[in-house]
Amino acid sequence: GSEQFALRYADGPQLYITEQVSFIARAARQLLERIQSHGIDARLEALKELAKLSADPTFAAEFINMEGIGTLARLVESGTHFGEMLAFTLTAFLELMDHGIVSWDLISLSFIKQIAGYVNQPMVDVSILQRSLAILESMVLNSHSLYHRVAQEITVGQLIGHLQVSNQEIQTYAIALINALFLKAPEDRRQVGALGNRPIKAEMAHQLYVLQVLTFNLLEERMMTKMDPNDQAQRDIIFELRRIAFDGENDPTGTEKRKAMYTKDYKMLGFTNHVNPAMDFTQTPPGMLALDNMLYLAKVHQDTYIRIVLENSSREDKHECPFGRCAIELTRMLCEILQVGELRKQNLFFCVEFFCVCIQLLNKTWKEMRATAEDFNKVMQVVREQITRALAMKPSSIDQLKTKLRGLNYSEILRLRQSERMSQDDFQSPPIIELRERIQPEILELIKQQRLNRLCEGSCFRKLGNRRRQEKFWFCRLSLNHKVLHYGDLDESPQGEVPFELLSDKIPVSDIKSVVTGKDCPHMKEKSALKQNKEVLELAFSVLYDPDETLNFVAPNKYEYCIWTDGLCALLGREMGSDLTRSDLDTLISMEMKLRLLDLENITIPEAPPPVPKEPSSYNFTYNYSGHEHR
């Protein structure tokens, strides 16, 4: 009766090792019967078994052919399952649907309502909540019609509450569902929530990256959208800016009577085109993004907006700060500084509140510089320097940014410029440049040794895979004689050094042909465009070795990426070209030079060496050792 038996993996995904479909079909039928049995204990054990076996594609196909998914859906719809039994039911359902055998469009409205109910319940079990969020995410991503049904049952606002819990897995699934709803929503319904600042795991980082991509696509779109001067809805926004500044809540004189005064008002608002200010927003960037920022300031920070407008319009003509022109130019500047359209970490800092802080800074700097219209570009240069210097201090919140900017007034910028200019002048003289060139090889060798020492300590790398599976890790380290790379799989992230004995595989350094990074890596070429993201791409590198083998890495962070790519290049006798090496080189050379020049402090170093003195009239100034006489 060999057809009645099969081997099955005991660890990880517990799949069958058999090609006998008849055996798997019989196992699926027996399991379905046990799930429908009346005994609670028997049913629970059957659901536990099903949750494990559903990952097996062959088993899943047989179970689905027996109307198994419909049975599970009815168990959920009945609302009679709770706790462990419901959690295993939802796990099995999600695993079976993930095989793509059955269309998500077949899911009933009552099933959706039941799942959404678990997400909206305040005290639902964590395992049930996690699986419910995952099921709703898959519904939204896999069916346009189901998006509308899910959106009727649950909103992004309701999901924001799940970001406040301490369980990061729940936060991750909640953000994944927010991303799905955001991705499928019509443009006028898209909205985004905020998340606190705390250390985050890899999958949370990925979901936040996706959310960032989606929101920044919209931001870039607004930045590149010119205003249509003939669009009444867009012109109404400009009317609203004028009304808030000059008419308050009511317009007792009537809109028509005020029209004759609009040109004067627009001049006081600081637009370049006083007759038709819509023309000021026809440049890209910043396009409509500038108008969005101005309207937000006017509505949310109305007192600040009115104060800036009235304060500037009441100054002498030559000293008034043109608010409209400044706001448009500031938005363009912020887009450049934060590189909107080129997704980077500090892009997260771009928000309308950031604009509101910076427009107040601009107004303050204008006053400190006692600027006139002719000084507009000078003021913008100072403001750019203030913002970039503040961001370089890595503020983690808007409040921290305000504090940094308060310390960078116009006088401080002048002081910093003068100090840096003097320091730079000192380091540009030929003797200093020559000293730097002599020191550089020593410092590069020091950096190289540090990189190789770090490779000898080794690093842990995460295996890329399905986010619903348990994370797997592997470890790689260089032998102490720098001749062999040792690596091997680990069950969990290690705490401390991993001995060579635990690393079963190895590559002789002499067999390594090259090191490639980013898009050139084999494991990045194989992945589909949907699964790739820029963050992973920037951390990927591969070792190509004889005969035609590769060892593929995705570093846990940028620092480890630089350490390993530098170290591997050093092993191959190639240049270490990472950003970290450039930074370390500048820091260490600067420090070493300052130490060597301590004795020359406050002494002017000449541009050229002193002239060689004339030859003496004779060379008779030797010492006679034998006679102890001077000549």
Side-chain angles (χ1 to χ4, degrees):
S2 62
E3 71 279 355
Q4 298 181 27
F5 300 93
L7 291 174
R8 201 171 91 194
Y9 288 103
D11 299 323
Q14 299 185 3
L15 310 181
Y16 284 115
I17 308 173
T18 180
E19 296 178 357
Q20 296 183 26
V21 177
S22 59
F23 168 81
I24 294 179
R26 184 164 53 255
R29 189 177 301 107
Q30 290 172 354
L31 204 50
L32 186 58
E33 290 169 359
R34 288 166 58 198
I35 288 169
Q36 294 171 307
S37 68
H38 296 292
I40 292 177
D41 290 342
R43 191 183 299 179
L44 178 59
E45 288 305 313
L47 287 167
K48 282 184 181 179
E49 185 82 358
L50 179 63
K52 294 175 184 176
L53 290 175
S54 295
D56 187 319
T58 311
F59 175 87
E62 293 301 321
F63 188 82
I64 289 169
N65 285 339
M66 298 169 188
E67 300 296 325
I69 284 184
T71 301
L72 295 180
R74 285 190 291 275
L75 290 175
V76 174
E77 290 168 16
S78 67
T80 57
H81 282 51
F82 303 98
E84 267 193 315
M85 192 172 289
L86 178 58
F88 285 120
T89 303
L90 296 178
T91 302
F93 178 86
L94 185 57
E95 289 284 3
L96 291 167
M97 292 300 293
D98 273 354
H99 290 291
I101 299 170
V102 178
S103 170
W104 282 91
D105 287 317
L106 299 176
I107 302 302
S108 69
L109 183 57
S110 59
F111 182 86
I112 296 171
K113 286 180 177 291
Q114 195 68 36
I115 297 295
Y118 298 137
V119 173
N120 292 327
Q121 282 178 22
M123 298 299 290
V124 72
D125 183 81
V126 169
S127 58
I128 294 171
L129 175 58
Q130 174 208 350
R131 289 156 178 78
S132 298
L133 288 167
I135 289 172
L136 290 173
E137 179 202 356
S138 292
M139 286 181 185
V140 172
L141 291 177
N142 287 287
S143 170
H144 182 71
S145 61
L146 285 187
Y147 157 74
H148 294 286
R149 293 183 182 180
V150 172
Q152 288 173 353
E153 301 298 326
I154 197 161
T155 65
V156 171
Q158 290 169 309
L159 292 170
I160 296 298
H162 293 303
L163 302 183
Q164 311 304 322
V165 300
S166 57
N167 186 320
Q168 194 166 118
E169 193 170 14
I170 295 298
Q171 290 179 325
T172 302
Y173 278 89
I175 291 176
L177 179 52
I178 290 172
N179 287 342
L181 288 167
F182 192 84
L183 185 63
K184 296 293 183 178
E187 189 173 325
D188 59 345
R189 291 193 60 189
R190 294 182 182 179
Q191 49 183 317
V192 187
L195 185 68
N197 199 12
R198 70 181 84 172
I200 55 177
K201 294 179 183 175
E203 180 54 29
M204 171 73 94
H206 171 70
Q207 290 298 344
L208 285 172
Y209 176 89
V210 174
L211 181 61
Q212 191 181 356
V213 170
L214 295 170
T215 54
F216 263 76
N217 283 347
L218 291 181
L219 197 63
E220 185 183 7
E221 186 179 326
R222 292 295 283 175
M223 180 182 79
M224 300 309 294
T225 301
K226 298 179 181 180
M227 185 171 184
D228 180 0
N230 299 315
D231 187 319
Q232 188 58 44
Q234 294 179 8
R235 293 175 64 191
D236 285 344
I237 300 176
I238 297 179
F239 294 158
E240 184 70 359
L241 289 174
R242 189 207 59 77
R243 185 195 66 75
I244 293 172
F246 302 114
D247 294 342
E249 291 300 315
N250 301 306
D251 184 3
T253 60
T255 303
E256 291 301 321
K257 293 180 181 178
R258 289 281 297 169
K259 276 189 177 179
M261 301 176 68
Y262 281 2
T263 301
K264 179 185 174 185
D265 288 349
Y266 290 143
K267 182 180 179 182
M268 291 171 70
L269 274 170
F271 288 111
T272 306
N273 192 318
H274 307 152
V275 178
N276 186 6
M279 298 302 296
D280 286 18
F281 299 93
T282 56
Q283 298 297 315
T284 58
M288 292 293 291
L289 187 57
L291 194 56
D292 294 342
N293 288 340
M294 293 170 72
L295 184 63
Y296 178 89
L297 176 70
K299 288 194 167 184
V300 178
H301 300 282
Q302 194 171 112
D303 292 344
T304 301
Y305 170 70
I306 293 172
R307 176 179 59 78
I308 291 174
V309 171
L310 296 183
E311 187 179 281
N312 284 310
S313 59
S314 63
R315 289 184 193 157
E316 299 173 35
D317 278 352
K318 65 175 185 176
H319 286 295
E320 62 185 25
C321 174
F323 170 73
R325 184 184 174 195
C326 286
I328 293 168
E329 192 58 37
L330 177 64
T331 302
R332 179 185 288 110
M333 181 197 296
L334 294 180
C335 289
E336 291 171 0
I337 291 173
L338 298 176
Q339 295 173 294
V340 174
E342 296 180 30
L343 199 57
R344 297 180 184 275
K345 189 171 182 180
Q346 71 173 8
N347 287 154
L348 281 174
F349 219 65
F350 191 102
C351 60
V352 280
E353 282 295 335
F354 185 25
F355 168 83
C356 295
V357 170
C358 293
I359 193 70
Q360 293 178 73
L361 168 74
L362 195 159
N363 190 54
K364 176 170 167 283
T365 303
W366 187 282
K367 285 191 287 185
E368 290 172 351
M369 292 178 67
R370 296 189 54 78
T372 62
E374 288 76 23
D375 300 321
F376 183 86
N377 290 333
K378 290 180 184 177
V379 176
M380 296 308 295
Q381 286 172 6
V382 172
V383 170
R384 177 186 284 269
E385 192 170 339
Q386 289 170 313
I387 293 169
T388 51
R389 285 182 184 273
L391 288 177
M393 300 178 202
K394 295 183 169 55
S396 59
S397 67
I398 289 290
D399 288 337
Q400 281 192 23
L401 175 73
K402 289 179 182 177
T403 303
K404 306 293 184 192
L405 289 173
R406 273 196 293 271
L408 287 169
N409 55 30
Y410 179 52
S411 300
E412 179 64 9
I413 292 294
L414 289 179
R415 189 192 69 77
L416 289 169
R417 284 178 175 178
Q418 180 66 17
S419 173
E420 288 169 3
R421 191 178 298 115
M422 290 174 64
S423 175
Q424 191 176 23
D425 289 345
D426 287 346
F427 280 84
Q428 294 306 311
S429 62
I432 301 298
I433 293 173
E434 184 180 342
L435 176 62
R436 184 186 181 92
E437 289 172 352
R438 287 188 183 183
I439 291 173
Q440 185 161 315
E442 302 171 24
I443 301 298
L444 276 172
E445 183 61 28
L446 186 68
I447 293 171
K448 175 183 172 182
Q449 291 306 317
Q450 187 271 341
R451 300 294 192 263
L452 293 175
N453 290 341
R454 277 287 290 107
L455 263 61
C456 290
E457 293 173 16
S459 297
C460 180
F461 300 92
R462 186 172 62 92
K463 285 191 172 183
L464 294 179
N466 189 327
R467 64 184 174 86
R468 295 197 181 101
R469 306 279 184 263
Q470 186 177 357
E471 280 194 328
K472 296 289 184 182
F473 301 92
W474 66 286
F475 197 88
C476 186
R477 62 181 297 197
L478 178 65
S479 63
L480 299 179
N481 62 7
H482 299 174
K483 291 186 177 180
V484 181
L485 278 178
H486 296 263
Y487 64 98
D489 291 344
L490 300 176
D491 291 331
E492 57 184 25
S493 183
Q495 303 297 320
E497 187 176 289
V498 176
F500 290 110
E501 299 76 44
L502 293 180
L503 305 175
S504 56
D505 300 301
K506 61 184 180 180
I507 302 171
V509 171
S510 58
D511 287 351
I512 297 177
K513 294 188 286 188
S514 64
V515 177
V516 294
T517 61
K519 291 179 182 178
D520 296 328
C521 296
H523 58 315
M524 292 295 105
K525 292 178 181 177
E526 291 167 5
K527 290 174 69 62
S528 68
L530 284 174
K531 290 183 180 177
Q532 272 198 56
N533 63 60
K534 192 172 181 180
E535 188 180 70
V536 172
L537 208 58
E538 289 178 347
L539 299 176
F541 61 99
S542 297
V543 171
L544 311 184
Y545 62 98
D546 288 329
D548 288 309
E549 303 292 327
T550 63
L551 184 60
N552 298 318
F553 299 74
V554 175
N557 50 56
K558 191 67 177 177
Y559 176 79
E560 287 291 327
Y561 171 85
C562 293
I563 289 289
W564 275 84
T565 52
D566 281 345
L568 290 169
C569 286
L571 277 176
L572 301 178
R574 296 172 189 168
E575 183 181 347
M576 299 180 294
S578 76
D579 295 338
L580 185 63
T581 291
R582 284 193 288 273
S583 172
D584 286 351
L585 188 63
D586 288 342
T587 302
L588 293 172
I589 285 182
S590 176
M591 188 183 303
E592 181 67 18
M593 289 181 68
K594 284 175 181 176
L595 286 171
R596 295 196 185 192
L597 296 173
L598 275 177
D599 292 340
L600 297 176
E601 194 169 351
N602 298 322
I603 295 175
T604 304
I605 300 170
E607 287 291 315
V612 177
K614 293 179 180 180
E615 289 190 19
S617 56
S618 74
Y619 289 88
N620 294 329
F621 44 85
T622 60
Y623 189 86
N624 188 332
Y625 287 93
S626 58
H628 302 288
E629 295 176 355
H630 292 282
R631 283 197 299 164

